[in-house]
Amino acid sequence: MIVINERSPIPIYEQIIQQLKELILKGAVTSGEKLPSVRELSATILVNPNTVSKAYQELERQGVIETLRGKGTYVCSQQAAKITPEMLEQIRQSLKQTVLEASYAGISGEQLKTWIDQYLLELRSGTNA
Amino acid sequence: MIVINERSPIPIYEQIIQQLKELILKGAVTSGEKLPSVRELSATILVNPNTVSKAYQELERQGVIETLRGKGTYVCSQQAAKITPEMLEQIRQSLKQTVLEASYAGISGEQLKTWIDQYLLELRSGTNA
Amino acid sequence: MIVINERSPIPIYEQIIQQLKELILKGAVTSGEKLPSVRELSATILVNPNTVSKAYQELERQGVIETLRGKGTYVCSQQAAKITPEMLEQIRQSLKQTVLEASYAGISGEQLKTWIDQYLLELRSGTNA
Amino acid sequence: MIVINERSPIPIYEQIIQQLKELILKGAVTSGEKLPSVRELSATILVNPNTVSKAYQELERQGVIETLRGKGTYVCSQQAAKITPEMLEQIRQSLKQTVLEASYAGISGEQLKTWIDQYLLELRSGTNA
DNA sequence: GTGGTCTAGACCACT
DNA sequence: GTGGTCTAGACCACT
């Protein structure tokens, strides 16, 4: 369910984080569900275990998943997600940056809004991106 | 007119690129206008000349500015901007990623759209962000 | 009487050790009293028997409890507790470490001392923490 | 200035974190000061660069130090330290645990308080522990 | 020069 | 079985 793009400038552990979050939001992986172990996932997606481990640790720090010692890693109930003002500002900044690039490329605000709606729909319906 | 944040996760040369593009879109710097030299700008914003140079090179590669040997660096007329399908896809991806993070933080699509409109307004009116 | 927190960073067997020691110090479990068997306790607190077994072994090693083959596990008379210089040093170190973290968090020495008195009172009065 | 104990149960990266915090609290390393680079420190204390890097990243997350890309790592002005309720509770818990062990070892509350004062004095006077 | 990421593989504590 | 730590060493982006 997770696909790594080795040529992407986005670090592999970030790709894992993003895709797991997407799977959770889509409901493909639900609260309380056990995730594949570090070794399993690393074997499946052909990535070093350390890299998967780094992704899991970061997701735990963000309150998305939790680790029970010796038992495995589980998806948290999502109301636990911790949002800080810094995270909010970072989202605003990255949106701003995207809009700037889009303006440069001649993409209208309307087009961007349509894409937002499309993607939100995908998330809600659990469709693949 | 350019302000660098050393602590930002965005590389300094990227900050220069973004802010120059923003200034151009806002009309604060117009087509054909001469930009400060690498040395001038690096002295003004207290940044290593290599870093400014890297920003200028990237902007030139993107068709935003052009360097005339011995004469200086000038803003291109903007219809020249080259939009490739890859750039378009990259914009879609970064928008998608922002929406994903926003969803996680409980930010609605409506909120994101409002922010887009706000920012576009800023660009058009030439107001500072 | 023992409550395990699976999410705690403290290993489960350590939690058992701590809580048993606390119960003994509070007088809720007295010298010579028989403890539940490994199987009983593991069934009560929903923990793997190996984990309870590990806790009991460590408590025995520390001279807190003793196992009589075929008869069960009993609380030792507590003057038997063996304090080595290493244990003393370890206590000093962990106190030092706690004070360091507290200083960082802006917690005063007075506050720490108040907490110590509070907790000692709890132990003596047998109140629950 | 940093000494690693390979036999300690405390992870090496944690030892680095603790000792750097101690050096900062003692004023041996002051706000704005540049720390040794990852490579330098790793060579000095004979530890793998990855391990030092992990310590630095965690300290940055805690707001103790900050990394300027390509320039190095610097001590933050300490009012920036972020204290969460979870951290406070964790400090209380580790104090409680220490008091419990101390009680078991026959160490009085008074003794513990004396040690606290001693260590705080060391921190303030910049004396070595 | 700086730190960040990644692989490969070992070892360990915990359940 | 589970995840966490660590070494050794490569490569990369940024200043």
Side-chain angles (χ1 to χ4, degrees):
Chain A
M1 273 159 135
I2 290 180
V3 182
I4 298 304
N5 178 359
E6 284 185 307
R7 276 159 201 79
S8 165
I10 302 171
I12 294 175
Y13 78 92
E14 275 288 357
Q15 295 184 42
I16 297 172
I17 290 174
Q18 288 176 16
Q19 294 189 37
L20 270 178
K21 281 183 171 177
E22 200 171 345
L23 287 169
I24 293 171
L25 276 180
K26 283 183 176 169
V29 182
T30 55
S31 280
E33 197 171 327
K34 187 169 192 277
L35 291 175
S37 76
V38 168
R39 285 164 175 78
E40 268 179 326
L41 186 52
S42 75
T44 313
I45 64 181
L46 301 173
V47 147
N48 190 286
N50 284 330
T51 304
V52 175
S53 183
K54 186 170 186 176
Y56 276 16
Q57 283 178 42
E58 177 59 21
L59 282 166
E60 176 151 33
R61 210 173 287 124
Q62 292 181 21
V64 175
I65 65 180
E66 63 183 342
T67 295
L68 303 189
R69 207 189 342 271
K71 295 185 86 175
T73 305
Y74 298 81
V75 178
C76 288
S77 63
Q78 283 321 119
Q79 59 264 37
K82 306 153 191 162
I83 299 110
T84 63
E86 294 88 45
M87 283 167 61
L88 215 128
E89 186 51 28
Q90 208 177 320
I91 289 169
R92 279 199 65 156
Q93 282 305 317
S94 69
L95 182 65
K96 194 176 145 179
Q97 178 55 20
T98 304
V99 174
L100 180 64
E101 291 298 336
S103 294
Y104 234 87
I107 297 168
S108 70
E110 290 317 306
Q111 177 65 77
L112 292 176
K113 291 183 199 168
T114 307
W115 283 345
I116 288 178
D117 284 331
Q118 262 177 25
Y119 184 53
L120 285 174
L121 220 66
E122 275 175 24
L123 283 183
R124 268 158 215 151
S125 66
T127 315
N128 203 355
Chain B
M1 274 156 134
I2 290 180
V3 181
I4 298 304
N5 178 2
E6 276 189 307
R7 281 158 190 80
S8 166
I10 302 168
I12 293 175
Y13 82 93
E14 273 288 358
Q15 294 184 41
I16 297 172
I17 291 173
Q18 287 177 18
Q19 294 190 35
L20 270 178
K21 281 183 171 175
E22 201 171 345
L23 288 169
I24 294 170
L25 276 180
K26 285 183 176 169
V29 181
T30 55
S31 281
E33 197 170 328
K34 188 173 191 244
L35 290 176
S37 74
V38 167
R39 283 186 192 174
E40 271 175 329
L41 185 52
S42 72
T44 314
I45 62 180
L46 301 172
V47 149
N48 192 301
N50 291 331
T51 306
V52 175
S53 179
K54 183 167 185 180
Y56 275 18
Q57 278 170 38
E58 176 61 18
L59 283 165
E60 184 151 22
R61 211 188 54 73
Q62 290 181 21
V64 175
I65 64 178
E66 58 185 344
T67 298
L68 305 184
R69 212 170 355 213
K71 295 187 74 180
T73 305
Y74 298 82
V75 179
C76 290
S77 64
Q78 283 323 117
Q79 58 263 42
K82 309 152 191 161
I83 299 110
T84 62
E86 293 86 46
M87 282 168 60
L88 215 129
E89 186 51 27
Q90 206 178 320
I91 288 168
R92 279 200 63 157
Q93 282 304 318
S94 70
L95 183 65
K96 195 177 142 179
Q97 179 54 22
T98 303
V99 175
L100 179 63
E101 290 298 335
S103 294
Y104 240 90
I107 297 169
S108 71
E110 291 316 307
Q111 176 67 78
L112 292 175
K113 291 183 199 168
T114 306
W115 284 343
I116 288 178
D117 285 332
Q118 262 176 28
Y119 184 55
L120 285 173
L121 221 66
E122 275 174 24
L123 283 182
R124 267 158 215 150
S125 66
T127 315
N128 204 355
Chain C
M1 274 157 134
I2 290 180
V3 181
I4 298 304
N5 178 2
E6 276 190 306
R7 283 161 188 77
S8 165
I10 302 169
I12 293 175
Y13 82 95
E14 273 287 358
Q15 294 184 40
I16 298 173
I17 291 174
Q18 287 178 19
Q19 294 190 36
L20 270 178
K21 282 184 170 174
E22 201 171 345
L23 287 169
I24 294 170
L25 276 179
K26 284 183 177 171
V29 182
T30 55
S31 282
E33 196 172 330
K34 189 176 192 238
L35 290 176
S37 72
V38 168
R39 284 184 192 174
E40 271 176 330
L41 186 53
S42 73
T44 313
I45 63 180
L46 301 173
V47 148
N48 192 300
N50 291 331
T51 306
V52 175
S53 180
K54 183 166 183 179
Y56 275 19
Q57 279 170 39
E58 176 60 20
L59 283 165
E60 183 152 22
R61 211 188 54 72
Q62 291 180 21
V64 175
I65 64 178
E66 58 185 345
T67 299
L68 305 183
R69 213 169 351 210
K71 296 188 71 179
T73 305
Y74 297 84
V75 179
C76 292
S77 64
Q78 284 320 119
Q79 58 264 41
K82 308 152 192 162
I83 299 111
T84 62
E86 293 87 45
M87 282 167 61
L88 214 129
E89 187 51 27
Q90 207 178 322
I91 289 167
R92 279 199 63 157
Q93 282 305 317
S94 70
L95 182 65
K96 194 176 143 179
Q97 179 55 22
T98 305
V99 174
L100 179 63
E101 290 298 335
S103 294
Y104 240 91
I107 297 169
S108 70
E110 291 316 307
Q111 177 65 78
L112 292 176
K113 292 184 199 168
T114 306
W115 284 344
I116 289 179
D117 285 331
Q118 261 177 27
Y119 184 54
L120 285 174
L121 220 66
E122 274 175 25
L123 284 183
R124 269 159 215 149
S125 65
T127 314
N128 204 354
Chain D
M1 275 156 135
I2 289 180
V3 182
I4 297 304
N5 178 0
E6 285 184 310
R7 277 158 200 79
S8 165
I10 301 170
I12 294 176
Y13 79 92
E14 274 288 356
Q15 295 184 41
I16 297 173
I17 291 173
Q18 288 176 16
Q19 293 189 36
L20 271 178
K21 281 183 170 175
E22 199 171 346
L23 287 170
I24 293 170
L25 276 179
K26 284 185 177 169
V29 182
T30 54
S31 280
E33 197 171 329
K34 186 169 193 279
L35 290 176
S37 76
V38 168
R39 284 163 174 79
E40 267 178 327
L41 186 52
S42 74
T44 313
I45 63 181
L46 302 174
V47 147
N48 191 287
N50 284 330
T51 305
V52 175
S53 183
K54 186 170 186 178
Y56 276 16
Q57 283 178 41
E58 177 58 23
L59 282 166
E60 177 151 32
R61 212 172 286 123
Q62 292 182 20
V64 175
I65 65 179
E66 63 183 343
T67 295
L68 303 188
R69 208 190 340 273
K71 296 185 86 174
T73 305
Y74 298 82
V75 179
C76 287
S77 64
Q78 282 323 116
Q79 59 262 39
K82 307 153 192 162
I83 299 110
T84 62
E86 294 88 46
M87 284 166 59
L88 215 127
E89 186 51 28
Q90 208 177 318
I91 289 168
R92 279 199 66 155
Q93 282 304 319
S94 69
L95 183 65
K96 196 176 144 179
Q97 177 55 19
T98 304
V99 174
L100 179 63
E101 291 298 336
S103 294
Y104 233 86
I107 297 168
S108 71
E110 291 316 307
Q111 177 66 77
L112 292 176
K113 292 183 198 168
T114 307
W115 283 344
I116 288 178
D117 285 332
Q118 261 178 27
Y119 184 54
L120 285 173
L121 220 65
E122 274 175 25
L123 283 183
R124 268 160 216 150
S125 66
T127 315
N128 204 356

